[in-house]
Amino acid sequence: MPNIPDADLELPAYSAHVNPRADPQVAHSFRLMKDNHPTLTVVLSSRAETADSTPVLNQMQTLAGTITLDLSEGLHVRSVTVEVIGEIRKVYAIHRFLTMRRELYTVETGGHHESLPTETADSPPRGKARLTGRHSWSYSLKLPKGVSIPWDGGSRNFRLPPTFADTRNSFTIDYHLLVRVKTGFLSSGYRLACPFLYVLRQKPSLPSLLHQIAKLQGLAIPGPEEDSDGWRTLPSVEMTGMLFSSRLVAVTCKLSIPLPLCYTRGTTVPIHLVLKSTDGQALDLLCSHALRVVLIRTISYTERDAKYAAIGVGVYGPEESHADEMAFPQFTVVSGEGGNPATSSRVLRGTLAVPEDLVPGFRILNYTIEYSIAIYPFEAAGFSPSAPRGNLSFSLTFRLPR
């Protein structure tokens, strides 16, 4: 049977989640060793669980810490800078979408850049190019909510995407703090990259009022018929096939999931499914183990065109898109008519456990990650679907909270 394209959804706004109690911060240390001596040390504070793990930074959070040079011998230091860099890495290209740079020391000024806090007590004196001993600087850079990138003669805004790695397709989104110490003109100086994880921390807006009341009272969530404002229902789709190689049957499916179409990782999402057919035996068979409802993640990249020329990114490969099945809901039949009446129906309620480790969907430059709940043709012993195996019947796109 023909596919039905994704529904054109008006996705809801997202409200930031504010924790009244600040998360405890730990200090992570990165060192550049020379002759078994830590010549350059970078300390970065984050909300990671331990100091030994990779630093974790949240949306709109500030990267803060100290940079220390410990020079046993005199060294001509021209400048000390710190950068925050965000990059998309693919086998054939590296696309940098975020660069924040602060100059902490130059031989001319001798101290911090004017937009940063005043220099510490052990900062080197102004105009002294040759440094000896221990010198340190504090730094503070606040992550933006998004970035503005040149686009078709103007600009386009993108939210910062979360850290992501798809090792199967060699596609990653990386963030790191980069410290550069420039020395003499003929010297490469020192360079230390400190990776960190960027995590989005927001929550979806509230569900419908009837949904909230049911949750507070510990009752079953009302379905689409009782709470039409609390659900998004796709148009009915008919699936056909041969039952026991003897007769052709048709089953009409109607899938609903609750609004807003934004769900928190680590929680369960209720799903409402109605099956109708004139063949009650077919319904009994297909309601048992034949349902194929799936949570799908789709990763897409499109090839480069003129709209990216202004930012000088690398050459893109051909258009790519692949989908992965991430989770499968469990269903229970809650009502239905047996026998073989003029129209038999079954109402099923299911729950989809959203994996905690899923990365929220995003779009930046020509890269997109999105999620959908889809239903595939039935698979059961004694039933042969008319649609090819794996052919998508319909899907409903939604977002994980950003």
Side-chain angles (χ1 to χ4, degrees):
M1 64 176 286
N3 294 345
I4 293 183
D6 292 354
D8 185 14
L9 303 181
E10 182 73 24
L11 294 174
Y14 306 103
S15 56
H17 176 61
V18 180
N19 191 339
R21 184 180 64 182
D23 295 332
Q25 295 204 1
V26 297
H28 308 265
S29 296
F30 301 85
R31 296 178 177 86
L32 182 64
M33 307 296 290
K34 182 180 180 181
D35 299 329
N36 295 323
H37 177 74
T39 301
L40 176 60
T41 301
V42 178
V43 177
L44 171 62
S45 298
S46 88
R47 292 192 170 98
E49 294 184 358
T50 66
D52 295 331
S53 58
T54 304
V56 178
L57 279 298
N58 301 324
Q59 185 174 350
M60 301 292 289
Q61 192 175 345
T62 298
L63 286 88
T66 59
I67 298 170
T68 301
L69 266 178
D70 196 349
L71 305 172
S72 57
E73 299 179 357
L75 181 68
H76 288 278
V77 177
R78 296 169 54 201
S79 65
V80 178
T81 59
V82 58
E83 295 179 75
V84 177
I85 295 173
E87 294 176 328
I88 300 173
R89 292 178 173 267
K90 200 76 173 69
V91 174
Y92 42 75
I94 297 177
H95 309 150
R96 181 173 297 185
F97 57 86
L98 173 66
T99 301
M100 299 172 61
R101 184 177 183 273
R102 293 292 185 272
E103 194 173 67
L104 304 181
Y105 166 81
T106 64
V107 66
E108 292 81 12
T109 63
H112 288 269
H113 189 273
E114 61 182 4
S115 65
L116 291 176
T118 57
E119 58 189 84
T120 58
D122 52 353
S123 295
R126 179 175 302 177
K128 186 177 180 180
R130 190 172 183 84
L131 305 181
T132 305
R134 184 177 182 275
H135 306 273
S136 66
W137 299 264
S138 61
Y139 65 90
S140 177
L141 300 97
K142 185 175 182 179
L143 289 170
K145 188 175 183 180
V147 290
S148 180
I149 296 177
W151 195 280
D152 283 338
S155 63
R156 182 174 178 180
N157 297 326
F158 296 93
R159 289 178 178 266
L160 287 186
T163 299
F164 177 72
D166 180 10
T167 55
R168 185 185 66 179
N169 297 280
S170 301
F171 166 50
T172 61
I173 294 180
D174 297 323
Y175 290 88
H176 60 272
L177 183 77
L178 179 62
V179 177
R180 300 176 190 264
V181 179
K182 291 186 178 181
T183 54
F185 289 100
L186 300 179
S187 173
S188 59
Y190 301 127
R191 172 190 171 106
L192 182 57
C194 312
F196 65 90
L197 304 178
Y198 179 65
V199 180
L200 301 177
R201 294 186 63 182
Q202 290 188 316
K203 66 177 183 179
S205 54
L206 294 174
S208 68
L209 182 59
L210 291 179
H211 187 137
Q212 296 179 59
I213 293 174
K215 294 287 285 185
L216 289 174
Q217 297 180 350
L219 303 175
I221 298 172
E225 293 184 357
E226 298 85 12
D227 184 18
S228 58
D229 294 334
W231 295 78
R232 172 61 59 87
T233 301
L234 274 171
S236 299
V237 172
E238 185 180 79
M239 297 187 188
T240 60
M242 294 297 296
L243 187 65
F244 303 126
S245 301
S246 61
R247 63 183 185 273
L248 180 67
V249 297
V251 179
T252 301
C253 309
K254 183 183 292 185
L255 178 71
S256 303
I257 60 175
L259 296 171
L261 299 177
C262 178
Y263 308 111
T264 304
R265 290 162 288 173
T267 62
T268 57
V269 179
I271 299 177
H272 191 272
L273 184 63
V274 178
L275 305 181
K276 291 185 177 181
S277 176
T278 57
D279 193 313
Q281 186 182 18
L283 284 180
D284 290 335
L285 174 66
L286 300 179
C287 284
S288 56
H289 303 290
L291 288 175
R292 290 263 295 146
V293 180
V294 185
L295 170 62
I296 296 176
R297 181 181 68 194
T298 303
I299 303 176
S300 304
Y301 336 100
T302 56
E303 63 179 317
R304 182 185 180 185
D305 55 36
K307 64 180 65 176
Y308 304 109
I311 59 177
V313 297
V315 177
Y316 287 80
E319 183 176 356
E320 301 177 33
S321 179
H322 64 271
D324 298 304
E325 297 179 354
M326 308 304 295
F328 306 87
Q330 301 297 318
F331 285 94
T332 302
V333 179
V334 295
S335 65
E337 300 176 355
N340 187 18
T343 301
S344 297
S345 66
R346 301 291 185 272
V347 177
L348 299 92
R349 288 189 177 181
T351 55
L352 173 68
V354 182
E356 293 185 3
D357 58 350
L358 286 187
V359 173
F362 63 85
R363 179 188 298 274
I364 186 165
L365 293 177
N366 60 329
Y367 294 83
T368 303
I369 290 182
E370 63 180 3
Y371 294 88
S372 61
I373 292 178
I375 184 167
Y376 290 93
F378 297 113
E379 292 184 359
F383 179 78
S384 300
S386 300
R389 176 182 172 87
N391 186 29
L392 183 65
S393 294
F394 58 76
S395 67
L396 184 60
T397 304
F398 68 93
R399 290 183 181 177
L400 298 176
R402 292 177 177 266

